[in-house]
Amino acid sequence: MLRRSWKEFNGVAARRIPDSIRCSINPEGEITFDVDTYRKMGEPEAMFLLYEPSSRTIGLRPAHPDTSNAVLVRARHARSNRVVRSMPFLRENGIELERTLRFPYPFIEEKVLILDLRTAVTAGRGGIKKVRKRPANAREKRA
């Protein structure tokens, strides 16, 4: 019998759980969420952007669009996603993003969409990717 030496994947596996909240943030400051989440929040026209530095958590709370510090909710795609543009908010709070992040565990608490940056993972693009393993000599050169 052949003995195998398995290495178990420890990352967060991509999956679509029915009725789950899907949300991401990109380096351009766009916070995107699905239309079901938008409906659960009462289909707000605008949102307040909140930040809790101690827990590195972003909150989005529904707001009236006439409020001066409320950010408008825009349709990304007519039937699917909504987006809130937040670049000034990210700058003000010192949040820098190199890549698009998705939040695997977002939830709504008292009408506030909670996004924890500590649990965010890099979002990949769809499609098949060819992954090459770096040659051993390339690793030695970097060290």
Side-chain angles (χ1 to χ4, degrees):
M1 178 181 273
L2 180 65
R3 296 192 51 93
R4 299 191 186 274
S5 179
W6 294 109
K7 181 182 173 198
E8 186 174 326
F9 171 67
N10 290 319
V12 177
R15 69 186 89 197
R16 172 74 171 113
I17 301 169
D19 298 324
S20 67
I21 295 172
R22 291 181 293 162
C23 191
S24 65
I25 186 169
N26 66 28
E28 290 77 40
E30 296 177 326
I31 300 173
T32 306
F33 46 93
D34 62 325
V35 75
D36 292 335
T37 302
Y38 177 66
R39 288 183 185 129
K40 288 176 187 175
M41 295 182 73
E43 300 185 19
E45 293 180 50
M47 293 192 173
F48 290 121
L49 297 172
L50 313 167
Y51 185 61
E52 185 178 64
S54 63
S55 65
R56 296 190 57 221
T57 303
I58 294 172
L60 284 84
R61 184 175 65 216
H64 192 277
D66 291 340
T67 309
S68 64
N69 61 334
V71 180
L72 295 178
V73 177
R74 302 175 190 277
R76 163 68 54 87
H77 306 289
R79 292 187 212 160
S80 59
N81 294 340
R82 296 295 181 264
V83 64
V84 173
R85 294 195 172 102
S86 64
M87 188 54 85
F89 166 79
L90 295 179
R91 276 193 219 110
E92 180 180 302
N93 290 292
I95 301 169
E96 294 181 16
L97 304 171
E98 292 180 13
R99 300 193 57 188
T100 299
L101 301 176
R102 73 177 170 85
F103 298 94
Y105 312 110
F107 61 96
I108 298 173
E109 177 182 273
E110 297 177 12
K111 292 201 174 188
V112 177
L113 177 60
I114 307 293
L115 309 173
D116 191 339
L117 288 167
R118 297 171 300 178
T119 60
V121 296
T122 302
R125 294 196 175 264
I128 298 172
K129 297 179 186 138
K130 290 185 180 180
V131 178
R132 296 182 187 149
K133 189 171 183 175
R134 179 179 290 157
N137 60 358
R139 279 185 243 145
E140 293 168 7
K141 289 178 186 176
R142 289 186 92 182

